[in-house]
Amino acid sequence: MDAFYSSRCICVALVVLTLIRSGFAQQDDILIGEFASLTGSTAVFGQSAHDGIQLAIEEANARGGVLHKQIKLITEDDQSKSEDAVSVVNKLISHDHVVALLGEVASSRTFAGGAVAQISKIPMISPASTNAGVLEIGDFVFRACFNDAFQGTAMAAFAAKSLHAKKAVVLTDVRQDYCMTLANSFSAAFSEDGCEIVSQQAYSSGDRDFSQIIKSIEHSHPDVIYIPGYYDDVSLFVRQVRDHGLMTPILGGDGWDSPELTRGLEKAFNNTYFSNHFAPDDPNERVQTFVTNYKKRFGQEPTSIAALGYDAAGILIDAISRAKGTDSISVRNSISSTKDFSGVTGTITIDQNRNSKKPLTILRIVDGKNVFAQNISAAARPVGKYKLPER
Ligand code: PHE
């Protein structure tokens, strides 16, 4: 082979290789990176967020893309590990040159990947990391969800104003920062509303016997019990409360959101409520359109995390459409000026601290099914009237 042909062969090979490595992205596609736990311990969360993100991007591309360009999503699996979050975010930034990032669900991995995004000045939106510290990573990190403290504040408003509760018992899982944050914000807001925390009881994740706590609850005659823990401990607690004959309303947070919560306990969970990001039976038209399209695309109902993934991608696409350029600084500035973005998890405004100001949804559990009860506004006020179910 002469020198001319062999150099042409090398050129062609290089072009093909570049195309393969870039997944055939067109020169002028807008590249968005996603890091997600597609495998590993929280694969269910990662896959849900990914599906929501994918749907938002497919819909935007079908509408003609953004700034007359198509969006290309490059997804990397971090295997539910913080170390891998660091390496895949590095790869998305230095190799793929994405303009922005979406991820992660778990706060621990958002911390890890977010640090890399921040140093590289690439804007990033986490769908679901609610931990207060996440926004302290720096000014390139945003989230589509509310923070943990808001759940306590909003549930206190629901308890006082919609359930007309005056006295509450609060249970705290001392091993979980998450639970402590919700419990403390609930207590502060409930007391401000002129109501009273009649007792606070501590437990530890994995405790099996709540009988002492239940006896003390019985003596303090609360109108509601707040236990913002994770679903496995909550299941056991609710079963023991009901077995003891107490029918007091029991309230919680998004740590309850699992099909495991009520398994075999459908009746025991009547008269319980929890705060969450999304309700697929919310009658809002935008929610219903999303639920229909999601079911058509993936054959199942969207979870809260899927809805948050959809909104995180939606906020980013909206920001790019308003940005002065597709460089990462312009996109960051545009995300930070997001105002009244109409998401499926509510209307979202990014405030001056980069928090997502948005409403929250209260679900009531009826015979093991989660039923939309009421939205609570970003100002922690119940939206609309709530009709108390007949006892
Ligand atoms: N809020 C959790 C975190 O910050 C993630 C999560 C969101 C888990 C929603 C369950 C449901 O780590």
Side-chain angles (χ1 to χ4, degrees), residues 226-253:
Y226 187 48
I227 173 165
Y230 289 117
Y231 61 88
D232 45 353
D233 303 308
V234 172
S235 280
L236 209 59
F237 173 73
V238 170
R239 176 205 296 252
Q240 292 178 22
V241 170
R242 299 300 190 230
D243 282 352
H244 198 83
L246 284 181
M247 289 312 292
T248 315
I250 305 176
L251 321 174

Short mmCIF file of all heavy atoms in Angstrom, two decimals, residues 226-253:
data_model
loop_
_atom_site.label_atom_id
_atom_site.label_comp_id
_atom_site.label_asym_id
_atom_site.label_seq_id
_atom_site.Cartn_x
_atom_site.Cartn_y
_atom_site.Cartn_z
N TYR A 226 -45.62 11.75 64.75
CA TYR A 226 -44.77 11.99 63.57
C TYR A 226 -43.54 11.09 63.65
O TYR A 226 -42.78 11.17 64.61
CB TYR A 226 -44.35 13.47 63.55
CG TYR A 226 -43.60 13.90 62.29
CD1 TYR A 226 -44.06 13.59 61.02
CD2 TYR A 226 -42.44 14.68 62.39
CE1 TYR A 226 -43.38 14.01 59.87
CE2 TYR A 226 -41.76 15.12 61.25
CZ TYR A 226 -42.24 14.77 60.00
OH TYR A 226 -41.56 15.20 58.87
N ILE A 227 -43.37 10.21 62.66
CA ILE A 227 -42.19 9.34 62.62
C ILE A 227 -41.56 9.40 61.22
O ILE A 227 -41.87 8.60 60.32
CB ILE A 227 -42.50 7.88 63.09
CG1 ILE A 227 -41.29 6.97 62.87
CG2 ILE A 227 -43.78 7.31 62.45
CD1 ILE A 227 -41.32 5.63 63.58
N PRO A 228 -40.68 10.39 61.00
CA PRO A 228 -40.11 10.58 59.66
C PRO A 228 -38.88 9.70 59.43
O PRO A 228 -37.80 10.19 59.09
CB PRO A 228 -39.73 12.07 59.68
CG PRO A 228 -39.36 12.34 61.12
CD PRO A 228 -40.23 11.43 61.95
N GLY A 229 -39.06 8.38 59.59
CA GLY A 229 -37.94 7.44 59.44
C GLY A 229 -38.02 6.72 58.11
O GLY A 229 -38.76 7.12 57.21
N TYR A 230 -37.25 5.63 58.00
CA TYR A 230 -37.27 4.81 56.79
C TYR A 230 -38.29 3.69 56.93
O TYR A 230 -38.64 3.27 58.03
CB TYR A 230 -35.88 4.27 56.48
CG TYR A 230 -34.94 5.35 56.01
CD1 TYR A 230 -33.80 5.69 56.74
CD2 TYR A 230 -35.21 6.06 54.85
CE1 TYR A 230 -32.95 6.70 56.31
CE2 TYR A 230 -34.36 7.07 54.40
CZ TYR A 230 -33.23 7.38 55.14
OH TYR A 230 -32.40 8.37 54.71
N TYR A 231 -38.78 3.22 55.77
CA TYR A 231 -39.98 2.38 55.74
C TYR A 231 -39.91 1.11 56.58
O TYR A 231 -40.92 0.69 57.13
CB TYR A 231 -40.36 2.05 54.29
CG TYR A 231 -39.31 1.28 53.53
CD1 TYR A 231 -39.28 -0.10 53.56
CD2 TYR A 231 -38.34 1.94 52.79
CE1 TYR A 231 -38.30 -0.80 52.89
CE2 TYR A 231 -37.37 1.24 52.10
CZ TYR A 231 -37.35 -0.13 52.16
OH TYR A 231 -36.38 -0.82 51.49
N ASP A 232 -38.73 0.49 56.73
CA ASP A 232 -38.72 -0.80 57.45
C ASP A 232 -39.00 -0.61 58.94
O ASP A 232 -39.80 -1.34 59.53
CB ASP A 232 -37.43 -1.59 57.20
CG ASP A 232 -36.18 -0.73 57.29
OD1 ASP A 232 -36.33 0.50 57.41
OD2 ASP A 232 -35.08 -1.28 57.25
N ASP A 233 -38.38 0.40 59.55
CA ASP A 233 -38.66 0.67 60.98
C ASP A 233 -40.10 1.16 61.15
O ASP A 233 -40.78 0.80 62.12
CB ASP A 233 -37.71 1.75 61.52
CG ASP A 233 -36.25 1.37 61.35
OD1 ASP A 233 -35.89 0.26 61.77
OD2 ASP A 233 -35.49 2.16 60.76
N VAL A 234 -40.54 1.99 60.20
CA VAL A 234 -41.89 2.56 60.31
C VAL A 234 -42.95 1.45 60.25
O VAL A 234 -43.91 1.46 61.02
CB VAL A 234 -42.12 3.62 59.20
CG1 VAL A 234 -43.57 4.08 59.17
CG2 VAL A 234 -41.20 4.83 59.40
N SER A 235 -42.75 0.47 59.37
CA SER A 235 -43.71 -0.65 59.25
C SER A 235 -43.91 -1.33 60.60
O SER A 235 -45.03 -1.57 61.03
CB SER A 235 -43.14 -1.73 58.33
OG SER A 235 -43.32 -1.39 57.04
N LEU A 236 -42.77 -1.61 61.23
CA LEU A 236 -42.82 -2.33 62.51
C LEU A 236 -43.51 -1.48 63.58
O LEU A 236 -44.34 -1.97 64.35
CB LEU A 236 -41.36 -2.59 62.92
CG LEU A 236 -41.10 -3.80 63.76
CD1 LEU A 236 -41.56 -5.04 63.02
CD2 LEU A 236 -39.60 -3.89 64.04
N PHE A 237 -43.16 -0.20 63.59
CA PHE A 237 -43.74 0.71 64.59
C PHE A 237 -45.26 0.79 64.41
O PHE A 237 -46.02 0.65 65.38
CB PHE A 237 -43.09 2.09 64.45
CG PHE A 237 -43.73 3.14 65.31
CD1 PHE A 237 -43.53 3.15 66.69
CD2 PHE A 237 -44.55 4.13 64.76
CE1 PHE A 237 -44.14 4.12 67.50
CE2 PHE A 237 -45.16 5.08 65.55
CZ PHE A 237 -44.95 5.08 66.93
N VAL A 238 -45.71 1.00 63.19
CA VAL A 238 -47.15 1.17 62.95
C VAL A 238 -47.89 -0.11 63.33
O VAL A 238 -48.94 -0.07 63.97
CB VAL A 238 -47.42 1.58 61.48
CG1 VAL A 238 -48.90 1.53 61.15
CG2 VAL A 238 -46.86 2.98 61.22
N ARG A 239 -47.33 -1.24 62.99
CA ARG A 239 -47.97 -2.51 63.35
C ARG A 239 -48.14 -2.60 64.88
O ARG A 239 -49.20 -2.94 65.39
CB ARG A 239 -47.10 -3.68 62.88
CG ARG A 239 -47.66 -5.04 63.31
CD ARG A 239 -46.55 -6.07 63.38
NE ARG A 239 -45.98 -6.30 62.05
CZ ARG A 239 -46.18 -7.41 61.35
NH1 ARG A 239 -46.92 -8.37 61.83
NH2 ARG A 239 -45.63 -7.54 60.18
N GLN A 240 -47.08 -2.23 65.63
CA GLN A 240 -47.14 -2.35 67.10
C GLN A 240 -48.10 -1.32 67.71
O GLN A 240 -48.79 -1.62 68.68
CB GLN A 240 -45.73 -2.24 67.69
CG GLN A 240 -44.88 -3.45 67.32
CD GLN A 240 -43.45 -3.39 67.84
OE1 GLN A 240 -43.16 -2.68 68.81
NE2 GLN A 240 -42.54 -4.12 67.21
N VAL A 241 -48.15 -0.13 67.12
CA VAL A 241 -49.09 0.90 67.62
C VAL A 241 -50.52 0.40 67.46
O VAL A 241 -51.33 0.46 68.40
CB VAL A 241 -48.92 2.23 66.84
CG1 VAL A 241 -50.05 3.21 67.17
CG2 VAL A 241 -47.58 2.87 67.16
N ARG A 242 -50.84 -0.13 66.27
CA ARG A 242 -52.21 -0.59 66.01
C ARG A 242 -52.53 -1.84 66.84
O ARG A 242 -53.65 -1.96 67.35
CB ARG A 242 -52.41 -0.88 64.52
CG ARG A 242 -52.21 0.33 63.59
CD ARG A 242 -53.15 1.48 63.89
NE ARG A 242 -53.10 2.53 62.86
CZ ARG A 242 -52.95 3.82 63.11
NH1 ARG A 242 -52.82 4.27 64.36
NH2 ARG A 242 -52.93 4.70 62.13
N ASP A 243 -51.55 -2.73 66.99
CA ASP A 243 -51.77 -3.92 67.81
C ASP A 243 -52.10 -3.53 69.24
O ASP A 243 -52.81 -4.24 69.95
CB ASP A 243 -50.53 -4.83 67.82
CG ASP A 243 -50.43 -5.64 66.54
OD1 ASP A 243 -51.40 -5.61 65.74
OD2 ASP A 243 -49.38 -6.29 66.33
N HIS A 244 -51.57 -2.40 69.66
CA HIS A 244 -51.80 -1.90 71.01
C HIS A 244 -53.19 -1.25 71.13
O HIS A 244 -53.61 -0.86 72.21
CB HIS A 244 -50.70 -0.88 71.34
CG HIS A 244 -50.56 -0.62 72.80
ND1 HIS A 244 -49.83 -1.43 73.64
CD2 HIS A 244 -51.06 0.37 73.59
CE1 HIS A 244 -49.90 -0.96 74.87
NE2 HIS A 244 -50.63 0.13 74.87
N GLY A 245 -53.86 -1.09 69.99
CA GLY A 245 -55.21 -0.53 70.00
C GLY A 245 -55.26 0.98 69.81
O GLY A 245 -56.33 1.59 69.93
N LEU A 246 -54.12 1.60 69.50
CA LEU A 246 -54.12 3.06 69.27
C LEU A 246 -54.38 3.34 67.79
O LEU A 246 -53.64 2.86 66.92
CB LEU A 246 -52.75 3.66 69.61
CG LEU A 246 -52.39 3.85 71.09
CD1 LEU A 246 -50.98 4.47 71.19
CD2 LEU A 246 -53.41 4.75 71.75
N MET A 247 -55.41 4.16 67.52
CA MET A 247 -55.73 4.47 66.12
C MET A 247 -55.31 5.89 65.73
O MET A 247 -55.71 6.40 64.67
CB MET A 247 -57.24 4.28 65.87
CG MET A 247 -57.67 2.82 65.86
SD MET A 247 -56.60 1.78 64.83
CE MET A 247 -57.03 2.44 63.21
N THR A 248 -54.48 6.52 66.56
CA THR A 248 -54.00 7.89 66.32
C THR A 248 -53.43 8.03 64.90
O THR A 248 -52.72 7.12 64.44
CB THR A 248 -52.87 8.20 67.33
OG1 THR A 248 -53.29 7.74 68.61
CG2 THR A 248 -52.51 9.66 67.37
N PRO A 249 -53.69 9.15 64.20
CA PRO A 249 -53.05 9.35 62.88
C PRO A 249 -51.52 9.34 63.02
O PRO A 249 -50.99 9.93 63.97
CB PRO A 249 -53.53 10.74 62.45
CG PRO A 249 -54.75 11.03 63.27
CD PRO A 249 -54.59 10.26 64.55
N ILE A 250 -50.85 8.68 62.09
CA ILE A 250 -49.38 8.62 62.11
C ILE A 250 -48.87 9.27 60.83
O ILE A 250 -49.41 9.02 59.74
CB ILE A 250 -48.90 7.16 62.23
CG1 ILE A 250 -49.53 6.51 63.47
CG2 ILE A 250 -47.38 7.08 62.31
CD1 ILE A 250 -49.20 5.04 63.65
N LEU A 251 -47.87 10.13 60.98
CA LEU A 251 -47.38 10.92 59.84
C LEU A 251 -45.90 10.65 59.60
O LEU A 251 -45.16 10.35 60.54
CB LEU A 251 -47.55 12.43 60.13
CG LEU A 251 -48.81 12.88 60.86
CD1 LEU A 251 -48.72 14.38 61.18
CD2 LEU A 251 -50.04 12.59 60.00
N GLY A 252 -45.45 10.81 58.34
CA GLY A 252 -44.04 10.59 58.03
C GLY A 252 -43.60 11.36 56.80
O GLY A 252 -44.32 12.24 56.31
N GLY A 253 -42.39 11.01 56.31
CA GLY A 253 -41.81 11.71 55.16
C GLY A 253 -41.51 10.77 54.01
O GLY A 253 -41.99 9.63 53.99
#
